[in-house]
Amino acid sequence: MAMTINTNVVSINAQRNLGLSGGSLSTSMQRLSSGLRVNSAKDDAAGLAIAERMSTQVRGFAVASRNANDGISLAQTAEGALGKVGDMLQRMRELAVQSGNATNSKSDREALNAELVQLRSEVDRVAKTTSFNGSKLLDGGFTGGVFQVGANAGDNITVGALADTRADKLGSSMFGASKVSIATPGNTSANVTITVQGVVNSATVTITGDADRTGEELLGSMVENINAKTADTGVVAFLTKTSSGYDIEYRSTADAAGTNAVATVLMTGAGAPAIAATTVNLAAASQAGIASMDIKTQVGAWESLQRIDNAIDKVNSARADLGAIQTRFEKSIENIDIMQENISAARGRITDADFAKETANLSRTQILQQAGTAMVAQANQLPQNVLKLLQ
């Protein structure tokens, strides 16, 4: 090896190695202080790109989980309101059943109806005011609700619509209805045959003539015999006294199609013309909602029961749907949590620092730094040997 002073190759080599160990020491200290193996793109360009995509998913899942919890809160709000609506409908049904009893006077039914009107108004108010974060839930306006429950576009749960429980939209019903005004029969000695054709089944009864029976008793017997077959025919009759005689009002269950004549009542016999050979067609009548119902009469109570029963069915169905939606949101959250956990673990395997490895590397580079510094100092002393040649 030549003895020179302008180029100290040994010192340059020692400085280069000192620089390398210094860079490694700096990297280890950065990783140990941040806890990350990848602190910049130069550490692992491909790993950084993959980890950033995973970070996008993890953060998206965190927000999606909150979205799903908000969806549960919305469903709980709507379901709670529907629960109270159901309670009020049950009370309204109790009032209708009570009003349908013959022991009630006109003033009794008016008192019962007054409570029903107040309950009906409250049902309507609840439907129009129940809201979540400014959105009305039960007035028919909440339709096509899309809940983002995933980290990517299209990861959603869609609710087609929540039930419209306004009074004019709740409890629509269809039934057969007819009203016949008749005079009090004068001839009660002849037999009267009544044939009732309901939606599905029919029934025929014969009332034996009895001269000792009054006309009012005959009418009462007619209504009694028609109603005795209600379970078979679905037809019920109500007798109301008027200034000129009596009204017989018929009501019947209707078929799903709501055909024009859903039931018929045929009366034949040799009695008074007002009864003999009279056929009554019960035409389909559709009533929209509970808004206009009343229980001031027995007929009104019967109609109200039909509407209230349909309203209760609608509310129960809506509550079941909301319960199912809540369960779906809960399962979605569980799935989100699992995916977030697994993707976080995968990202951690790419970006997190291995402290055992890095502390070992730190110790190694610290020793190399100390040794390198010493060797640079020694190498810088080598040119001093040239002075001995000049002495």
Side-chain angles (χ1 to χ4, degrees), residues 39-120:
N39 288 282
S40 63
K42 72 178 180 62
D43 294 331
D44 185 351
L48 179 67
I50 295 170
E52 284 302 304
R53 286 198 297 270
M54 289 181 175
S55 294
T56 299
Q57 293 294 299
V58 169
R59 297 180 68 171
F61 282 136
V63 176
S65 181
R66 293 199 299 270
N67 288 349
N69 277 301
D70 289 341
I72 291 175
S73 298
L74 182 145
Q76 287 174 336
T77 300
E79 198 272 331
L82 286 174
K84 301 302 5 174
V85 169
D87 291 343
M88 288 185 281
L89 288 172
Q90 292 287 1
R91 176 55 183 163
M92 292 165 69
R93 194 180 193 283
E94 291 176 1
L95 295 171
V97 171
Q98 185 175 356
S99 178
N101 198 32
T103 60
N104 292 299
S105 65
K106 179 181 179 181
S107 60
D108 292 335
R109 291 194 176 96
E110 288 178 349
L112 294 170
N113 190 70
E115 182 179 350
L116 182 139
V117 169
Q118 292 298 320
L119 290 170
R120 181 177 62 199

Side-chain angles (χ1 to χ4, degrees), residues 164-176:
D164 186 347
T165 58
R166 290 174 295 175
D168 59 340
K169 302 296 182 182
L170 182 64
S172 298
S173 64
M174 181 174 289
F175 51 85

Side-chain angles (χ1 to χ4, degrees), residues 155-272:
D155 294 343
N156 60 66
I157 292 176
T158 302
V159 177
L162 297 182
D164 186 347
T165 58
R166 290 174 295 175
D168 59 340
K169 302 296 182 182
L170 182 64
S172 298
S173 64
M174 181 174 289
F175 51 85
S178 185
K179 178 180 177 180
V180 178
S181 297
I182 58 177
T184 303
N187 180 7
T188 61
S189 60
N191 294 344
V192 176
T193 300
I194 304 174
T195 301
V196 180
Q197 176 63 60
V199 176
V200 178
N201 298 319
S202 62
T204 299
V205 295
T206 299
I207 302 173
T208 304
D210 186 349
D212 294 331
R213 180 166 44 197
T214 65
E216 288 81 0
E217 290 174 337
L218 176 58
L219 291 176
S221 181
M222 289 166 49
V223 170
E224 177 186 4
N225 281 273
I226 292 172
N227 292 345
K229 299 296 182 179
T230 298
D232 297 323
T233 64
V235 176
V236 61
F238 299 95
L239 185 65
T240 305
K241 184 174 177 59
T242 65
S243 58
S244 59
Y246 286 87
D247 286 341
I248 298 181
E249 293 193 62
Y250 298 100
R251 293 293 183 270
S252 74
T253 55
D255 61 359
T259 52
N260 184 47
V262 296
T264 58
V265 179
L266 172 63
M267 299 183 187
T268 57

